[in-house]
Amino acid sequence: MGDTIEIKVDGLKELEQDLLELPDRIAGRVLQSALTSAALPIVTEARTKVPLAHGAYRLYGGGKADPGWLRDRIVRKKVKGGGNSAEVIVTIKDRRQSYFWKFIEFGTSKMAAHPFMRPAFEAKVAEAVDRFSDRLKAGIASAVTKLKFTP
């Protein structure tokens, strides 16, 4: 049971060719921007689907969390990679408590699962792909215009 979901988009050959014709640094920014935009509907949906606690509870290592604590920490995050790669993940913002969502998503031996990440992905994957495609087209067009304008 993994906690990573990957999307492979086929049918974007023309955009891929246009992207490859841009300088690497600019192409990376355009691709990263498109991925970040595409992740937003999944983040928004996950925030609506995460179950809220009935009351405040203690956090591992100290501290207190109010209902909605986990919901407020669902974010999209750029993953730093090497070369011309671009990657965005939907994750939990708190490093010390980031494992906690898995207990809710997948359950434990003493607690039933209450999935929210996977259902959010499944509900919004088509919208995410459309946003990716639209943002990528717009980003490439903007970059080409700027490159042609630059002396």
Side-chain angles (χ1 to χ4, degrees), residues 77-125:
K77 181 179 175 185
K78 179 171 64 172
V79 176
K80 294 181 182 177
N84 300 328
S85 67
E87 185 177 351
V88 172
I89 61 172
V90 176
T91 189
I92 307 302
K93 183 168 55 173
D94 190 323
R95 283 187 190 183
R96 282 189 341 164
Q97 305 294 332
S98 63
Y99 66 90
F100 178 70
W101 74 271
K102 294 177 186 177
F103 297 153
I104 296 170
E105 180 78 11
F106 301 112
T108 68
S109 62
K110 298 180 181 190
M111 181 177 85
H114 297 282
F116 61 96
M117 288 288 225
R118 182 170 294 275
F121 169 79
E122 291 170 352
K124 295 297 181 174
V125 68

Side-chain angles (χ1 to χ4, degrees), residues 7 11 22 26 34 67 70 90 95 134 140:
I7 305 171
L22 293 174
I26 295 171
L70 183 59
V90 176
R95 283 187 190 183
D134 293 345
I140 291 170

Side-chain angles (χ1 to χ4, degrees), residues 3 8-9 13 32 42 66 71 96 120 143 146 148:
D3 56 357
K8 182 178 179 184
V9 180
K13 286 293 183 194
Q32 190 70 54
I42 297 170
D66 292 320
R71 178 195 59 218
R96 282 189 341 164
K146 287 178 183 176
K148 287 181 179 177

